[in-house]
Amino acid sequence: AQSVAQPEDQVNVAEGNPLTVKCTYSVSGNPYLFWYVQYPNRGLQFLLKYITGDNLVKGSYGFEAEFNKSQTSFHLKKPSALVSDSALYFCAVEDSSGSARQLTFGSGTQLTVLP
Amino acid sequence: DGGITQSPKYLFRKEGQNVTLSCEQNLNHDAMYWYRQDPGQGLRLIYYSQIVNDFQKGDIAEGYSVSREKKESFPLTVTSAQKNPTAFYLCASSIAQGMTDTQYFGPGTRLTVL
């Protein structure tokens, strides 16, 4: 079975500081990993994904994520946070060895960027 | 303007009533999905469809039904058998149900049972 964990329900960071939102996963095969962002009462917006290749993935709005196979992690990062980055962030995983192509989502991390 | 639309944005239902949530996409995607979102629980898969006239149960299908008569449309019916239907419902689509295909989401429907 595949699973994903976001250990922090809430992350607070000052504007201009770097931010990190943590994600760890568990799969049987190789992982396909995704980050989405959700603003209040809106759908999810795709930020970036890791399928294969370079461990550092760059995405939308200046976000990036680093795939670490030994630590089974896929943390989301941004060098300089903006107040407008405040939102709910979801990590998701899909197991490449699974028979059904399904995403499993983490419980979400609420990011608040303080001015 | 391409994308995924869901209607209505807000929906109120009395106990014992069935309600149908609409999801339409004009992205020419083959695969479509329905998720339920509850606070602190992330998203859980209700049903998915890889192709017209075919759909599969997800993790929490009990009390829900779907149809896929057209490629563009994947309506979700919340039946009276669903014990706790109050939630935020999200529809998504992807080119195909392949491992590299990104799912794109609609704006959601918030269902409240009165």
Side-chain angles (χ1 to χ4, degrees):
Chain A
Q2 60 194 40
S3 65
V4 61
Q6 294 181 243
E8 300 161 317
D9 292 334
Q10 175 82 40
V11 170
N12 297 326
V13 64
E15 187 175 27
N17 283 2
L19 69 87
T20 299
V21 183
K22 296 180 180 177
C23 172
T24 59
Y25 65 88
S26 175
V27 295
S28 300
N30 292 318
Y32 302 121
L33 294 153
F34 301 79
W35 275 104
Y36 287 86
V37 60
Q38 185 180 35
Y39 296 97
N41 294 309
R42 304 286 295 275
L44 274 65
Q45 295 179 30
F46 169 72
L47 282 178
L48 51 81
K49 67 181 178 184
Y50 170 83
I51 302 299
T52 187
D54 194 349
N55 289 343
L56 184 63
V57 179
K58 294 188 182 297
S60 306
Y61 313 119
F63 284 94
E64 59 188 28
E66 186 167 12
F67 171 64
N68 188 318
K69 188 172 184 178
S70 62
Q71 297 186 8
T72 62
S73 67
F74 189 57
H75 301 331
L76 182 70
K77 298 182 179 183
K78 187 174 183 180
S80 178
L82 301 172
V83 172
S84 57
D85 292 330
S86 298
L88 185 59
Y89 289 81
F90 289 99
C91 181
V93 67
E94 182 177 332
D95 190 340
S96 66
S97 66
S99 58
R101 302 297 185 200
Q102 295 184 23
L103 280 179
T104 297
F105 286 83
S107 56
T109 298
Q110 181 67 49
L111 173 68
T112 300
V113 181
L114 305 168
Chain B
D1 189 20
I4 305 172
T5 58
Q6 292 185 241
S7 62
K9 186 173 182 179
Y10 298 97
L11 185 57
F12 298 91
R13 187 193 95 173
K14 293 181 180 179
E15 284 192 21
Q17 286 183 335
N18 293 354
V19 289
T20 297
L21 283 59
S22 170
C23 177
E24 304 276 335
Q25 55 97 3
N26 62 5
L27 301 169
N28 200 32
H29 285 174
D30 286 314
M32 297 187 74
Y33 312 80
W34 274 105
Y35 292 92
R36 170 182 171 138
Q37 184 179 14
D38 295 282
Q41 293 192 43
L43 278 68
R44 292 180 290 169
L45 183 65
I46 305 172
Y47 268 98
Y48 63 97
S49 169
Q50 300 179 64
I51 198 169
V52 175
N53 293 323
D54 180 70
F55 49 83
Q56 306 295 328
K57 292 182 179 180
D59 299 323
I60 55 165
E62 184 175 353
Y64 300 96
S65 65
V66 293
S67 62
R68 187 86 187 276
E69 298 176 359
K70 299 187 299 182
K71 187 175 185 178
E72 303 80 19
S73 179
F74 191 41
L76 173 74
T77 296
V78 184
T79 75
S80 57
Q82 170 49 236
K83 299 305 180 186
N84 185 22
T86 294
F88 191 48
Y89 290 87
L90 289 161
C91 178
S93 70
S94 64
I95 295 175
Q97 204 194 15
M99 62 274 198
T100 62
D101 295 326
T102 300
Q103 292 184 25
Y104 295 94
F105 286 79
T109 292
R110 187 166 298 280
L111 173 64
T112 302
V113 174
L114 303 173

